[in-house]
Amino acid sequence: MRKITTFIAVAALSFSSIGCDRFLDIQPEGKIIPMDVEDYRKVLTSAYAKYPIHRSLVALRTDELNVDENTSDFIAYREIAMWKDTNNDQSTIEFPWVSFYSVVFYLNQIINEGSKTMAESPEKQQILAEAYALRAYVYFDMVNLYGKPYNAATASQDRGVPINLEIDLEQVLKPSSVQEVYNQVHADTKKADELMVEQKQVSGINYRFSKVALLAFEARTALYEGDWNKALGYADQVLAIKGELSNLNTSNTAPNHYASVESIMALDNAFNSAVQNLSYASSDLISKYNTATDKRFAIYFEKNNNKYKVIKGGSSDFRVSFRTAELYFIKSEALVKLNRLDEAKETLLKVEKNRYNAAGYASVQNDINAMSSTEFMNFMMDERFREFALEGQRWFDLRRLNQKKITHTINGQEYTLLQNDVRYTIEFPKSAKKNNPFL
C-alpha cells in the first residue's frame, strides 16, 4: 500500500530551491522549525513560488493554439495537444501532481503548526488567511483538472482528487468526490475570509491573496457550480471595491499585465515562454476578432509570416489569476441565468466600451441591444474567448459549457477531441498512479 511519503519527501527537499532550506516539518540536526511570522511568511512565499504552471499546458488542449512542429520542444508537448493521456512517450511533460501536493504540504505546515507557534498579531492572521485561501485554490484547480465538471446532481458520486489536510507521512491518499473537494474549498475560503486582513495587495506582491482576491475566487467557484445568486453577489462585492477597467483606446498595456489597473491577483503563469515559443494562435481564435475595431487584437497578437504569435504572455509580467474584467463577465452571465437580461447587457457593455474603438462599440452596442437571451449568451461566450485568450480560462470554460469538438493537425495527421469526450477530464498522471494504487 503506497503512502504519501513520496509527495512529502519531494516537498521537503524542494524547500532548498528558493532559499528556505532551513525550514522542514521535522527538525533534523542543523535544521530549524519555523516559529514566528517572519519564518512562516518565508514558508508561504515558497508555496506561492512553487504554484504549478498548469494553465499553459491546458491551453494546448483548447481551440486557442496550434503547435509549431519545427521547435525544439515540440516532442515534449505534442501529445498534450493530441489529448493523449495514456501510454505517453517518456519525453512528454506530465500535468502537475506532486507539485500541487508540495504546495499543500507547505500550507498544512502553516495552518497546523504556525497557528500554534506564531504570536497573535494581524500578520499571523494574514498569513493564516492566505494559507487557507491558497489551499482552497489548489484543490479548486486540481478538481477542475482531474475531476468531472461540477454537476450538483452527480458531484457526490463523481471522483475528485485526494484531500490531505495533515502533515502525516502515513496517511493514505484516496480520491474524494467532486462534492467533497468543493466542500473543502468552501471550508477553507470561509476560514480565509474570517482571518483576512489585507483588502488589496500592492503591485509587486499582488501574487498574494487579499480580501478582494478571495471574493473574486469565490465568484469563480460559484460560477463553476452554477450558483448564480452567489456568483452575482460575490462579483458585486469585488466590483464595489475594485471596478476599474483598462481602456484600450488610451492604453497599450495588456489588461492581464500584473501592473494593469485590472489586476486583482497575479499568481498564475498562465502562458509561459515555453508554450509561447512552440505555438501560434489558431485560426479559430483569430477569426473571432474584428481586427479593424477590436483594440485587443494588436495588444494580444503579432503577425509572423502568415501566422499570429501570442504576445500577451511569455514573461512574469503577465502573471494573472484574477482581474476586474472577469468579474463583469461573471456578473453578466449570472444575470442572464437569473432572467435579468437588460442588466446583463448593461454589465457587459461596460467592458465592451473599453475594448472597441468608437465605431466598433457603437456597432456592438446595437447588436447586443437586439439580442435575445440565447443570442446574448452565445455572444458573451465568444467575448470570453476573445477577452481571456491564453489566460488559462478557455479549457475550463469549454468543460463547463458545451465541451465542443476540437481538431488539431500534428505532423500532417488529424487528432480529434469529440464533443463531450471523456478526455475533457484529464487522467491522473502515470507517475501518480504508479505511486498510489488508489488513483
Side-chain angles (χ1 to χ4, degrees):
M1 183 178 295
R2 302 295 184 112
K3 307 291 194 288
I4 65 167
T5 308
T6 301
F7 301 129
I8 299 301
V10 171
L13 289 171
S14 62
F15 265 95
S16 60
S17 64
I18 55 173
C20 290
D21 57 334
R22 70 193 187 101
F23 297 131
L24 292 174
D25 64 316
I26 302 169
Q27 189 176 17
E29 185 177 355
K31 298 294 180 179
I32 302 171
I33 294 177
M35 295 294 293
D36 57 24
V37 293
E38 182 178 329
D39 291 342
Y40 276 105
R41 172 53 72 183
K42 291 177 181 177
V43 176
L44 184 54
T45 299
S46 297
Y48 281 124
K50 284 184 64 63
Y51 204 79
I53 306 174
H54 59 290
R55 294 184 184 275
S56 294
L57 297 181
V58 294
L60 294 167
R61 299 173 76 94
T62 71
D63 51 357
E64 298 171 289
L65 293 176
N66 289 327
V67 178
D68 187 344
E69 299 162 3
N70 298 313
T71 57
S72 59
D73 288 338
F74 168 67
I75 191 68
Y77 293 92
R78 64 188 176 91
E79 291 190 341
I80 297 174
M82 293 158 54
W83 307 285
K84 186 179 179 184
D85 296 333
T86 58
N87 300 317
N88 304 98
D89 188 291
Q90 288 187 348
S91 60
T92 299
I93 291 177
E94 281 193 331
F95 276 84
W97 183 267
V98 170
S99 51
F100 274 119
Y101 284 103
S102 297
V103 173
V104 168
F105 171 74
Y106 300 147
L107 302 174
N108 289 347
Q109 177 79 34
I110 296 166
I111 291 167
N112 296 340
E113 300 300 324
S115 58
K116 302 172 188 175
T117 61
M118 285 186 286
E120 294 301 325
S121 68
E123 291 83 0
K124 173 183 178 178
Q125 281 187 242
Q126 181 65 26
I127 289 168
L128 289 173
E130 290 178 45
Y132 277 112
L134 188 57
R135 190 170 71 178
Y137 195 50
V138 168
Y139 284 121
F140 177 79
D141 275 353
M142 287 195 76
V143 79
N144 280 289
L145 282 175
Y146 301 115
K148 290 183 179 180
Y150 186 87
N151 180 333
T154 63
S156 60
Q157 287 80 46
D158 292 335
R159 188 188 66 177
V161 296
I163 298 173
N164 176 28
L165 307 180
E166 304 296 334
I167 310 167
D168 182 357
L169 296 178
E170 297 303 313
Q171 186 176 1
V172 178
L173 284 169
K174 296 180 180 180
S176 299
S177 71
V178 168
Q179 186 64 62
E180 287 171 327
V181 178
Y182 269 87
N183 289 347
Q184 185 59 50
V185 169
H186 289 307
D188 278 351
T189 53
K190 183 175 185 294
K191 289 291 294 184
D193 182 61
E194 292 169 355
L195 293 164
M196 194 75 72
V197 175
E198 297 293 339
Q199 180 94 323
K200 302 177 185 178
Q201 298 286 3
V202 299
S203 182
I205 61 168
N206 57 338
Y207 62 86
R208 300 175 181 175
F209 266 99
S210 62
K211 287 184 178 180
V212 68
L214 184 62
L215 288 168
F217 174 33
E218 290 175 300
R220 184 186 291 174
T221 304
L223 179 78
Y224 282 28
E225 291 177 296
D227 192 333
W228 309 117
N229 283 303
K230 284 188 177 179
L232 176 60
Y234 287 128
D236 275 337
Q237 288 182 69
V238 174
L239 295 174
I241 301 168
K242 186 174 177 62
E244 305 99 322
L245 287 164
S246 179
N247 186 346
L248 300 188
N249 287 290
T250 59
S251 173
N252 289 322
T253 300
N256 63 310
H257 193 281
Y258 83 94
S260 165
V261 297
E262 294 193 19
S263 181
I264 294 173
M265 184 172 165
L267 172 62
D268 289 275
N269 193 350
F271 190 58
N272 71 340
S273 58
V275 175
Q276 182 191 48
N277 291 337
L278 64 85
S279 66
Y280 53 92
S282 70
S283 57
D284 284 350
L285 177 58
I286 294 300
S287 68
K288 291 293 184 180
Y289 293 88
N290 183 325
T291 58
T293 64
D294 193 326
K295 304 296 289 187
R296 291 170 293 200
F297 191 79
I299 295 173
Y300 287 9
F301 309 102
E302 182 177 80
K303 194 165 187 179
N304 186 347
N305 296 321
N306 62 339
K307 299 174 182 176
Y308 285 92
K309 294 294 289 185
V310 181
I311 58 173
K312 62 178 295 196
S315 79
S316 59
D317 287 350
F318 296 98
R319 286 182 178 266
V320 59
S321 301
F322 305 103
R323 62 180 175 93
T324 310
E326 181 183 357
L327 281 303
Y328 283 99
F329 275 88
I330 290 174
K331 178 177 179 177
S332 186
E333 185 174 342
L335 286 167
V336 172
K337 298 295 185 179
L338 294 170
N339 298 313
R340 294 160 63 178
L341 181 59
D342 289 344
E343 294 172 78
K345 292 178 177 180
E346 180 184 355
T347 299
L348 187 62
L349 282 169
K350 292 177 181 178
V351 180
E352 307 300 80
K353 190 172 184 178
N354 290 278
R355 299 299 186 255
Y356 292 88
N357 65 21
Y361 175 68
S363 177
V364 167
Q365 185 179 35
N366 286 336
D367 289 343
I368 285 177
N369 286 338
M371 288 177 184
S372 66
S373 179
T374 300
E375 290 168 338
F376 178 70
M377 187 67 185
N378 291 336
F379 173 82
M380 180 165 50
M381 291 305 105
D382 282 345
E383 267 298 296
R384 280 189 69 97
F385 193 14
R386 289 184 281 268
E387 177 69 23
F388 303 113
L390 286 310
E391 291 183 36
Q393 300 243 23
R394 181 61 175 172
W395 178 251
F396 303 103
D397 280 345
L398 289 170
R399 275 170 45 89
R400 70 183 181 87
L401 295 167
N402 60 359
Q403 296 192 14
K404 62 177 278 189
K405 176 182 175 181
I406 305 173
T407 300
H408 290 164
T409 301
I410 300 172
N411 285 335
Q413 183 173 343
E414 284 193 351
Y415 296 87
T416 301
L417 183 72
L418 299 172
Q419 186 166 17
N420 299 319
D421 199 303
V422 294
R423 290 172 296 174
Y424 266 108
T425 297
I426 297 171
E427 287 192 23
F428 294 148
K430 181 168 57 178
S431 62
K433 290 189 285 188
K434 181 179 178 181
N435 284 307
N436 188 338
F438 293 104
L439 298 181

